[in-house]
């Protein structure tokens, strides 16, 4: 067989055939990509413009609002506007995802807690007693249809009773089954004041199981030692046979233990059955902490609370608890901040 030579020619390109003994030779066009100085300049300019644009958005988030785009409407075609609006939406979503950026000052943490993430058209308050010219242990309850606690068909978990059962009594009168937990009180005193739909347990909530001994002192100088037990949320529900029982309202007033309990519950997906979550948040540890560690501590607290949003919980109310002993004095400023506050989260949508 005689050897043959095939030549492939592209427009504008020349080819040179090469032959090897006894084998057909295919000459393919060789294309060379040249990176010109102009191309490098345009690429660098595009990167710089993008960085500057994001930097501007960081310094002034209001620029993402639709009103700031009005001057584009006269000179931009409709398809370009659609693409621009899509870009703006993506950037706004990016900013929401990056809302955990580092705090610049102490006030930033509490300012974020004041931001209302959802609304409730029908809010009521239950319980509460007067304490130093303020109301303590009052809890907000939302009666909107998608999260409502239906009278006669609702379950409430109330962790942290102390000696104030006003919330538990009133939500019970609302028609709910109320399960009350506290390892530091006299259970006989609590049970005597409850009716058949209120159930008290000498149990507390934490991220592990252990016993707790508490010495109680009464006004008549008598003392009493209470030995209670603390356990995890999933273990308590299992002990009560409530593994598949929806919790319409979960109250956590557990004196700073929320920073152990919430991460435990979030990591294990234990909040999927909860519709409304009321927490008395404690950050008073920053009062005695070294100044250089305060922002680090608050960022840790913020990360825990942002984990609730990933589970579908949106903050609907924020109320600071103004008690002298829990006020943080901002260094260099004539200002104090309440380090304890009540928040209510709503989990919108269906609950398994």
């Amino acid at each position: 067989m005689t050897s043959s030579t095939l030549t492939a020619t592209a427009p504008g390109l020349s080819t040179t055939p090469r032959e090897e003994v006894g084998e057909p030779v295919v000459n393919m066009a060789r294309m060379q990509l040249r990176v010109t100085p102009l191309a490098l300049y345009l690429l660098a300019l595009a990167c710089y413009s993008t960085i500057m644009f994001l930097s501007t958005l960081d310094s002034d988030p209001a620029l993402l609002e639709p009103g700031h785009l009005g001057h584009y409407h006269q000179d931009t075609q409709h398809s370009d506007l659609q693409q621009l609006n899509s870009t703006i939406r993506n950037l706004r979503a990016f900013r929401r995802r990056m809302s955990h950026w580092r705090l610049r000052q102490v006030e930033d943490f509490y300012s974020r807690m004041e931001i209302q993430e959802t609304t409730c058209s029908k809010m009521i308050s239950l319980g509460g007693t007067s304490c130093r010219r303020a109301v303590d242990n009052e809890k907000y309850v939302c009666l909107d249809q998608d999260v409502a606690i239906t009278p006669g068909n609702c379950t409430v978990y109330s962790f942290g009773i102390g000696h104030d059962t006003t919330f538990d009594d009133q939500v019970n009168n609302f028609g709910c089954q109320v399960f009350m937990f506290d390892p530091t009180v006299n259970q006989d005193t609590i049970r005597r004041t409850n009716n058949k739909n209120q159930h008290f347990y000498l149990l507390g909530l934490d991220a592990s199981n252990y016993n707790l001994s508490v010495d109680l002192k009464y006004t008549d100088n008598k003392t009493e030692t209470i030995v209670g037990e603390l356990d995890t949320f999933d273990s308590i529900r299992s002990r009560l046979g409530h593994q598949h029982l929806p919790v319409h309202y979960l109250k956590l007033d557990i004196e700073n233990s929320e920073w152990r309990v919430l991460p435990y519950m979030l990591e294990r997906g234990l909040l999927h059955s909860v519709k409304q979550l009321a927490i008395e948040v404690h950050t008073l540890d920053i009062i005695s902490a070294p100044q250089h560690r305060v922002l680090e501590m608050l960022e840790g607290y913020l990360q825990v609370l942002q984990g609730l949003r990933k589970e579908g919980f949106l903050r609907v109310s924020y109320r600071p608890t103004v008690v002298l002993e829990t006020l943080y004095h901002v260094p260099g400023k004539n200002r104090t901040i309440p380090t304890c506050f009540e928040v209510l989260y709503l989990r919108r949508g269906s609950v398994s």
Side-chain angles (χ1 to χ4, degrees), residues 127-140:
T129 55
S130 178
C131 177
R132 301 181 185 180
R133 300 181 181 179
V135 177
D136 192 23
N137 293 322
E138 176 189 32
K139 307 298 177 184
Y140 282 166

Side-chain angles (χ1 to χ4, degrees), residues 46-208:
C47 293
Y48 175 77
S49 300
T50 302
I51 293 173
M52 293 303 295
F53 180 52
L54 291 175
S55 177
T56 303
L57 294 178
D58 181 48
S59 61
D60 189 2
L63 293 176
L64 292 178
E65 297 302 322
H68 288 272
L69 304 178
H71 62 280
Y72 286 104
H73 286 256
Q74 296 177 356
D75 304 319
T76 311
Q77 296 298 323
H78 180 69
S79 60
D80 294 334
L81 277 177
Q82 286 183 325
Q83 184 176 1
L84 178 63
N85 289 334
S86 176
T87 302
I88 294 299
R89 286 194 296 269
N90 291 338
L91 286 170
R92 296 178 74 177
F94 172 77
R95 285 194 58 83
R96 287 194 294 270
R97 291 196 300 271
M98 297 302 292
S99 61
H100 62 279
W101 282 348
R102 297 179 67 87
L103 303 174
R104 292 184 175 90
Q105 55 185 358
V106 174
E107 291 92 328
D108 292 347
F109 173 83
Y110 302 95
S111 296
R112 293 192 186 188
M113 292 298 101
E114 293 176 1
I115 297 175
Q116 193 177 33
E117 298 173 328
T118 187
T119 59
C120 176
S121 60
K122 189 174 183 181
M123 188 93 77
I124 63 173
S125 63
L126 297 178
T129 55
S130 178
C131 177
R132 301 181 185 180
R133 300 181 181 179
V135 177
D136 192 23
N137 293 322
E138 176 189 32
K139 307 298 177 184
Y140 282 166
V141 179
C142 181
L143 299 183
D144 284 358
Q145 185 174 0
D146 62 324
V147 295
I149 55 174
T150 306
N153 185 26
C154 49
T155 301
V156 174
Y157 276 19
S158 179
F159 287 96
I161 306 300
H163 296 284
D164 185 356
T165 64
T166 53
F167 165 76
D168 310 276
D169 297 339
Q170 291 186 24
V171 76
N172 172 252
N173 292 335
F174 197 78
C176 296
Q177 291 283 337
V178 186
F179 297 88
M180 308 157 62
F181 307 89
D182 199 312
T184 65
V185 298
N186 186 309
Q187 57 183 331
D188 294 331
T189 302
I190 298 295
R191 285 173 175 162
R192 280 198 298 268
T193 63
N194 301 154
N195 63 33
K196 63 179 182 179
N197 293 328
Q198 289 175 271
H199 317 275
F200 178 80
Y201 302 89
L202 199 63
L203 281 170
L205 190 61
D206 212 316
S208 61

Side-chain angles (χ1 to χ4, degrees), residues 281-308:
V281 177
H282 304 81
T283 63
L284 67 167
D285 286 347
I286 68 170
I287 296 176
S288 58
Q291 193 56 43
H292 67 277
R293 289 207 54 213
V294 170
L295 285 182
E296 177 187 351
M297 295 171 64
L298 291 175
E299 285 172 353
Y301 298 151
L302 183 61
Q303 184 178 4
V304 172
L305 296 177
Q306 284 179 331
L308 294 173

